[in-house]
Amino acid sequence: MKILITGSSGQVGTNLALKLLEREEQILGIDRRDNSWTDRIPLIKRDIAADGMSSIADLPPDFGKPDLVVHLAANAKVHELVENPRRAHENATTAFNVLEFCRLNQIPIIFSSSREVYGRPAPPTVAENTVNIYDILSPYAAYKMADEMLIYSYANCYDLKYLIFRLSNVYGRYDNDLERMTRVIHVFIDQMRRGEPITIFDRRKNIDFTHIDDCIQGIMLGIDKLMQGEVVNETINLSSGSPATLGYLAETIARYLDVTPEIIDEPIQPGEISFYIADLTKAKQLLGFNPQISFEEGIKQTVEWSAEYIS
Ligand SMILES: NC(=O)c1ccc[n+]([C@@H]2O[C@H](COP(=O)([O-])OP(=O)(O)OC[C@H]3O[C@@H](n4cnc5c(N)ncnc54)[C@H](O)[C@@H]3O)[C@@H](O)[C@H]2O)c1
């Protein structure tokens, strides 16, 4: 299978591409940055929002027309996009350019949406059909929803085949490049290691953290089911199914690092959600998804992994 991955230098892209290479699939990445973790992923360096997608004719001849596009490229930090909504708008241009590439070449797409589209969902768990667009809390979420809706319209008008995954706080390997991307788990690990105080924006915020291996398991199942025509045009939650509050996250990291951090409590930041626990019924039924990594085990692995790769 020939798979084009946008955002291949990012956390999910790097892990997915390496997993597909293990399976000896043919991979081509597109990203506007070099990959800082590995040189094993063939890369077209290009800003898809500013320059559009390459045409098939411009792809390496030994690659040719892809069988599938996995579209991961995005400015992916909610709070940063609240401060600079233009970066959220840019995501829509990126998605539009990728969708046009898929439409013109009749290539199916897998798109990484976000649990942020749910805004303020109701406990205890959140199923895919419960989105209420009036609950959208941030420009990042607004454009993820817009990207999803564009995909639904392309499926309707142009018979585009798709799967959409709504991801939630993916963590683990290849995500501690803090100078580029401040993700809560690695910020806490980094600050606790340095003996600095940590700031928690609402200890009670309760979310479904997703270990990268579970995320990749779900996307790989999606790739196979989509390409075999078994699961087509579905929107699916993906997470590890092992939620935790930010307070418990800090406690767990501190336990594995054997430190007692000073904690500064702040209210939740504008645009951020305060609750999300995924209903994974659809992922399990349609894909046979079976998340493996509990929150505690995932955090333990991540603390150990990050000791080797201090950013
Ligand atoms: N990681 C998570 O917790 C999470 C949660 C929900 C949704 N998602 C979505 O999953 C996808 C992958 O997330 P990630 O964690 O790997 O993010 P990431 O920031 O690590 O990687 C995204 C990559 O996209 C590239 N990119 C962005 N805009 C581009 C453009 N216009 N042209 C070319 N490259 C561009 C960036 O350079 C980066 O390497 C994103 O769409 C994100 O919104 C991620």
Side-chain angles (χ1 to χ4, degrees), residues 20-179:
L20 287 163
L21 284 173
E22 250 174 48
R23 230 173 63 167
E24 302 194 352
E25 307 288 1
Q26 235 184 309
I27 295 300
L28 182 61
I30 301 189
D31 202 298
R32 63 183 170 205
R33 315 180 289 128
D34 288 321
N35 193 304
S36 51
W37 307 104
T38 175
D39 54 11
R40 291 180 53 215
I41 303 168
L43 175 70
I44 295 178
K45 205 164 155 185
R46 191 180 181 97
D47 186 321
I48 303 166
D51 306 326
M53 283 284 277
S54 308
S55 72
I56 296 276
D58 294 335
L59 299 182
D62 59 337
F63 191 78
K65 179 180 162 179
D67 301 304
L68 173 71
V69 171
V70 180
H71 176 41
L72 304 171
N75 301 315
K77 188 80 186 103
V78 176
H79 184 63
E80 188 187 292
L81 272 55
V82 170
E83 288 175 351
N84 184 359
R86 194 170 293 279
R87 280 168 67 73
H89 184 67
E90 188 183 286
N91 285 347
T93 309
T94 306
F96 173 73
N97 289 341
V98 173
L99 269 176
E100 278 294 273
F101 175 84
C102 291
R103 175 178 75 89
L104 294 169
N105 298 294
Q106 281 299 300
I107 301 170
I109 187 169
I110 288 184
F111 173 63
S112 53
S113 184
S114 168
R115 57 107 203 269
E116 298 292 324
V117 300
Y118 294 112
R120 289 197 183 90
T125 61
V126 185
E128 289 83 351
N129 62 357
T130 59
V131 165
N132 180 348
I133 54 167
Y134 297 104
D135 286 343
I136 293 275
L137 293 177
S138 71
Y140 171 80
Y143 280 105
K144 279 293 184 197
M145 196 65 243
D147 294 345
E148 280 197 18
M149 291 193 291
L150 203 58
I151 292 174
Y152 303 143
S153 77
Y154 271 51
N156 182 51
C157 296
Y158 314 116
D159 197 25
L160 183 85
K161 305 283 188 287
Y162 73 85
L163 284 184
I164 293 175
F165 287 112
R166 293 188 180 144
L167 309 182
S168 170
N169 274 82
V170 185
Y171 71 95
R173 228 173 294 108
Y174 309 136
D175 66 342
N176 69 342
D177 44 350
L178 288 177
E179 67 293 340

Side-chain angles (χ1 to χ4, degrees), residues 171 185 189 209-211 214 240-245 248-249 251-257 292-304:
Y171 71 95
I185 292 180
I189 293 175
F209 289 93
T210 311
H211 189 274
D214 286 331
S240 282
S242 185
T245 63
Y248 186 61
L249 169 67
E251 220 179 89
T252 309
I253 292 173
R255 180 155 33 94
Y256 290 126
L257 286 174
Q292 298 288 311
I293 319 263
S294 70
F295 175 76
E296 286 77 8
E297 175 57 27
I299 297 300
K300 181 166 175 280
Q301 282 184 20
T302 304
V303 167
E304 287 166 2

